[in-house]
Amino acid sequence: MSTPYPFTAIVGQDDLRLGLLLNAVSPAVGGVLVRGEKGTAKSTAVRALAALVPEVAVVSGCRFSCDPAAPDPACPDGPHDGGPGVSRAARTVELPVGASEDRLVGALDIERALAEGVKAFEPGLLADAHRGILYVDEVNLLHDHLVDLLLDAAAMGASYVEREGVSVRHAARFLLVGTMNPEEGELRPQLLDRFGLTVEVAASRDTDERVEVVRRRLAYDDDPEGFAARWAEEETALRERIAAARALLPRVVLGDGVLRQIAATCAAFEVDGMRADIVMARTATALAAWAGREEVTADDVRRAALLALPHRRRRNPFDAPGLDEDRLDRALDEASGDQEDDNDGDDRPDPDGGGNDDGGGGGGGGVPPQADGDRTPPRAEADGGDTPSGAPEGSPDAPGRSAGGEQRPVASAEPFRTKTLSVPGLGDGAAGRRSRARTEHGRTTGARRPHGALTKLHLAATVRAAAPHQRSRGRSGRGLVVRRDDLRQATREGREGNLVLFVVDASGSMAARQRMSAVKGAVLSLLLDAYQRRDKVGLVTFRGRDAEVALPPTSSVDAAASRLRSLPTGGRTPLAAGLLKAHDVLRVERLRDPSRRALLVVVTDGRATGGPEPVALAGRAGRLHRSEGTASVVVDCESGYVRLGLAAELARELGGAAVTLDELRADSIAGLVKDVTAAGRAA
C-alpha cells in the first residue's frame, strides 16, 4: 500500500479538516459531505484521515468485523464465543460510482438457495466498512437508489438484504464521507439532509498559501516515505488528541440553555424536520470534546450551525448555498436573552405578555423576525411595462439597449410547475424520472432467461418453467425440483433520465423585455423539472449571425440557470444555425452515452431571418432532427392578437409538438404529454 499524504501536512482547508475530525471523534454526527471545485484536496484529506482513526479489535475470521467485547448476536458469521480477537487498522472502503446494488449491500446466491436449500451470503462494501470509513467520491453521480440504500444503512447502523423470502441482516456502522463537485449536479434535498455536516472547499487565492501547497506536494511526490516521516510527530499528536476527545465525549454536558439555542437556531432558519437539531447537538458536543472541555458553549453551537445547516436550507437547485451569519448571531443572542429572562428575578409571569424592548419577539423559542429571502428566493422582476409606447420590440428606443444594439440581460419571471415532457418509446438509459425505460428497479413486466448472474428472480415464471419436468426428475414428496435452467430473470420497467437540450432564441424578435422575462421563467421552470427528474441538460442559444453552445450537456442545472440569467438578446434570428448546432451537440453526446435518449426543447417564436433562404434552411434542419428520431418540443413564444403560426410549422418539420407558454403550465388543460408522445410516434 502506498504511503498516504499526511493529514497534518494539508495546507488551509480548515472547515474540511474540522468536519472530518469531528466525525472521527463522534461517528454519531452522521458523516460529512464535502462540496467543492476539482483539485482542492477533497480525496487527499479523506484518505489521510484513515491513518488517524484508532485501531479496532475484531473477532478473528468474522467477515463483518464484530467487536469481540460485544459481538453482534445476529451476525451471519456468528454466534461468536467472545474471545480476545485481533486488532487491525480501521478500514477505508471506497464505493465506486459504477457499483451495483449487490456490490454495495452484498449478494444472496438465489440459485443455491432454491436448488440446494443453502443460504449463502457474500458480504458487500457496507460490511467491509463496518467500524471504519466509507468514502464515496462523486456521490452526486451515484444512482439515487444506491444513495438511498447507503444513507439508510448509515442512519440505522445496519444493512438488510431481502430477496424471495431469504433475509440477511448485519451491522453497518461507519464514518460516511462523500465528496462532490457541484458543477456536475446536485444531490436531492432529501439526500442532502441525511449527511450530518457539509463543508464548502475552494482553492486558496493567497499566493503564499498556493506556493506552500505546491512545495509540499512536490516534496511528497519525490519521496512519499521521507515526507511522511517528517510529519510523523504531528500525526502522532493528532492521533492522540482524537483518542483523548473520544474518551472525554461521554462526560460532555449539553445544558438546557444550549439546547434552547440549538432549537431556536433551527427554527429561525426554518429547517425541515428535527434531524438538524439532533446533528447540531451531537456536533456541538464533539466540538467541546475536541477542545478538551466538559461543557458545551454558545461558540460550539455557532460553529455547529455553520457545519450542519447550510445544506439543509436549499429548497431548489437555484438557491445559493450558505448561511446568513448575521441572522445566526441574532438567533443565538435572542435565545440567550430568553434564557436570561427566564432565570432573572422572580418566577411571576409578566402581566404584559413578556415582550422585549428591542422587538425581538417573545415566545416561540426566540425565533427572530424573518429576513428577506431566507424562506424562498426573492421574486424576480418581470421587467414589464418599461418599453415606451410605440417602440417596437427590439428597436433602438427600447430600454436596456447597449450602444452596440444588444439588449442587456433581463430578469426572469418566477418559475412554475410545468407539464411533463417525455421521450416516446421504451429506453434503457440511466435511472431517472422522465421517460419509460427497462430498469433494474420498477414494476415487473415479464421474465426472461438470465444473461450472466441472476439478480431479480421471477418466482412464478421459474415455477412454470420447472413444473413440466417434475416427473422426469424423479420428484418425491411435496417439494419442487428446480434446476439452474429453470431460473427466470424478472424484467422490470421504470423511468430513465434524459438529455434535455434547450435551444433558445435570443434574437431581436425575442428582445421585448416582458416577453424575454416570460421566456426565461419558462426555461427556468423546465430546468427545475429536469433537476427533479435527474436529467442532464444543455443550452444552445442563437442570435445575430450564428449559434453557440452556452452550456455543454451537464448534470448541473444551476449552471444552466446561471447562463440563462446572463443571456443577452438582439440581432437577427439564425434559426437554422441553432438547430444545426444542437444537432452537433446531440451527435457527440450519442457517442459518449448511447443509452441516454435526448429531448430537444426549442424556445422560439418561429421566425427565421438570418442568412440566405432562412425559412427553407430552418425547415431542412428540422427534418434532419426528425430523420434521426430525436424527440422534440417547440415552445411557442409568439404573443399578441395576430400570430403567424411559425412555431407550429417548425414543430411539424421536427416531428414534435408545439406548445404555448400558457399551455406549458401544469395546471393548463392542454394534453401536452399526449401531444408529444403522439407526435414522436408519428415521426
Side-chain angles (χ1 to χ4, degrees):
M1 179 179 178
S2 61
T3 304
Y5 191 91
F7 190 88
T8 51
I10 296 174
V11 179
Q13 306 296 10
D14 294 338
D15 289 342
L16 170 59
R17 291 187 292 164
L18 179 61
L20 292 173
L21 289 171
L22 291 177
N23 275 274
V25 171
S26 175
V29 166
V32 58
L33 176 65
V34 185
R35 306 172 73 256
E37 58 195 34
K38 52 187 176 294
T40 49
K42 299 189 296 292
S43 300
T44 299
V46 175
R47 296 188 177 103
L49 179 68
L52 301 175
V53 178
E55 290 189 345
V56 294
V58 299
V59 174
S60 180
C62 178
R63 297 174 298 167
F64 301 88
S65 303
C66 280
D67 186 351
D72 182 4
C75 176
D77 283 355
H80 301 300
D81 57 10
V86 295
S87 294
R88 63 162 173 79
R91 291 173 178 161
T92 297
V93 177
E94 296 193 27
L95 175 62
V97 170
S100 65
E101 180 180 343
D102 287 345
R103 185 73 185 97
L104 176 63
V105 301
L108 287 170
D109 194 332
I110 301 297
E111 298 179 12
R112 291 187 64 190
L114 290 176
E116 305 173 23
V118 176
K119 185 170 74 173
F121 179 70
E122 184 65 27
L125 295 177
L126 292 180
D128 293 341
H130 179 46
R131 304 177 66 200
I133 300 173
L134 182 59
Y135 172 44
V136 189
D137 193 14
E138 307 295 350
V139 64
N140 54 322
L141 301 184
L142 276 180
H143 285 178
D144 281 354
H145 75 280
L146 289 182
V147 180
D148 285 329
L149 289 171
L150 174 67
L151 295 176
D152 282 343
M156 296 186 296
S159 175
Y160 295 85
V161 184
E162 297 186 11
R163 290 183 184 169
E164 283 71 39
V166 183
S167 177
V168 173
R169 172 217 170 270
H170 65 83
R173 293 184 295 274
F174 46 80
L175 193 167
L176 176 63
V177 182
T179 58
M180 59 174 284
N181 185 345
E183 293 178 357
E184 297 173 341
E186 287 284 358
L187 281 171
R188 288 183 288 136
Q190 297 89 337
L191 300 179
L192 282 172
D193 184 53
R194 302 296 289 274
F195 281 93
L197 310 179
T198 186
V199 293
E200 299 279 342
V201 295
S204 173
R205 300 299 183 258
D206 181 76
T207 302
D208 293 337
E209 194 167 291
R210 294 176 73 97
V211 167
E212 186 62 23
V213 170
V214 175
R215 182 182 291 116
R216 293 186 186 183
R217 185 68 205 192
L218 294 178
Y220 170 77
D221 291 340
D222 290 341
D223 182 12
E225 291 80 7
F227 183 83
R230 292 195 292 274
W231 290 89
E233 185 176 344
E234 288 84 350
E235 291 284 288
T236 300
L238 187 56
R239 189 178 299 109
E240 292 174 351
R241 184 177 177 185
I242 292 174
R246 282 189 170 191
L248 178 63
L249 188 65
R251 303 197 302 272
V252 175
V253 176
L254 190 69
D256 290 343
V258 170
L259 282 174
R260 288 186 63 84
Q261 287 182 320
I262 291 172
T265 301
C266 293
F269 285 101
E270 301 182 1
V271 177
D272 296 334
M274 295 298 299
R275 185 174 284 118
D277 303 63
I278 297 170
V279 170
M280 276 188 63
R282 290 171 174 167
T283 305
T285 303
L287 280 164
W290 179 246
R293 288 183 274 101
E294 295 188 2
E295 187 172 354
V296 177
T297 66
D299 185 60
D300 295 329
V301 174
R302 187 182 192 280
R303 297 179 74 185
L306 292 174
L307 293 170
L309 295 186
H311 61 300
R312 292 184 166 88
R313 296 193 60 252
R314 298 197 74 183
R315 295 293 194 265
N316 63 62
F318 309 140
D319 289 345
L323 208 65
D324 184 344
E325 295 193 31
D326 290 337
R327 180 176 182 136
L328 173 61
D329 291 335
R330 290 199 303 270
L332 292 172
D333 290 343
E334 293 194 10
S336 299
D338 289 346
Q339 183 69 15
E340 291 174 2
D341 290 342
D342 291 340
N343 297 330
D344 187 26
D346 57 27
D347 295 331
R348 290 174 298 178
D350 185 348
D352 294 331
N356 290 335
D357 292 338
D358 59 3
V367 182
Q370 180 171 336
D372 291 340
D374 274 327
R375 174 62 179 174
T376 56
R379 188 180 191 280
E381 296 179 4
D383 287 55
D386 289 340
T387 305
S389 58
E393 298 176 357
S395 71
D397 294 331
R401 177 172 298 278
S402 64
E406 179 182 283
Q407 287 279 12
R408 291 193 296 271
V410 298
S412 67
E414 206 168 318
F416 51 84
R417 189 165 64 91
T418 67
K419 286 280 191 181
T420 301
L421 308 178
S422 61
V423 178
L426 192 66
D428 53 3
R433 298 182 176 183
R434 184 171 296 278
S435 305
R436 296 173 54 225
R438 292 176 289 268
T439 61
E440 288 295 319
H441 300 269
R443 63 185 182 90
T444 300
T445 58
R448 60 172 174 80
R449 290 181 180 273
H451 305 306
L454 178 70
T455 56
K456 300 292 182 181
L457 177 73
H458 195 298
L459 188 58
T462 298
V463 172
R464 285 196 298 268
H469 308 290
Q470 295 307 296
R471 179 173 297 179
S472 64
R473 293 174 183 175
R475 173 193 174 193
S476 60
R478 297 184 179 180
L480 182 70
V481 180
V482 179
R483 294 181 178 174
R484 200 173 293 269
D485 290 342
D486 301 326
L487 299 176
R488 294 295 183 267
Q489 173 84 25
T491 58
R492 301 192 174 195
E493 181 179 311
R495 293 280 171 177
E496 67 177 359
N498 299 116
L499 166 60
V500 183
L501 183 61
F502 295 93
V503 183
V504 179
D505 185 349
S507 64
S509 63
M510 301 284 290
R513 295 177 68 83
Q514 190 170 6
R515 178 190 291 187
M516 199 61 200
S517 175
V519 168
K520 286 187 176 183
V523 177
L524 280 175
S525 304
L526 291 168
L527 284 172
L528 183 59
D529 181 69
Y531 164 77
Q532 295 168 341
R533 299 184 186 279
R534 316 307 290 165
D535 295 316
K536 291 181 68 175
V537 295
L539 179 62
V540 173
T541 63
F542 58 94
R543 65 185 183 88
R545 298 182 179 180
D546 204 358
E548 65 174 349
V549 181
L551 182 72
T554 176
S555 297
S556 178
V557 296
D558 52 342
S562 176
R563 302 291 175 88
L564 182 70
R565 289 191 184 99
S566 60
L567 179 66
T569 57
R572 292 184 175 273
T573 312
L575 179 56
L579 295 174
L580 292 175
K581 182 67 73 173
H583 179 267
D584 291 341
V585 172
L586 294 178
R587 176 178 57 81
V588 173
E589 286 302 306
R590 288 191 187 101
L591 296 175
R592 290 177 176 171
D593 189 357
S595 64
R596 187 181 289 271
R597 298 185 296 164
L599 175 63
L600 185 69
V601 179
V602 185
V603 185
T604 182
D605 57 8
R607 300 180 185 181
T609 60
E613 300 183 352
V615 177
L617 283 175
R620 287 199 291 270
R623 291 191 293 274
L624 178 61
H625 283 282
R626 180 175 182 173
S627 67
E628 296 185 354
T630 303
S632 60
V633 176
V634 178
V635 179
D636 185 0
C637 302
E638 196 172 26
S639 59
Y641 293 105
V642 179
R643 303 194 180 191
L644 303 179
L646 299 175
E649 179 61 30
L650 175 61
R652 285 191 289 271
E653 298 286 8
L654 287 165
V659 55
T660 66
L661 291 175
D662 290 337
E663 292 170 341
L664 190 62
R665 294 180 179 271
D667 54 359
S668 71
I669 61 174
L672 180 59
V673 178
K674 295 180 180 179
D675 292 344
V676 174
T677 304
R681 288 173 179 168

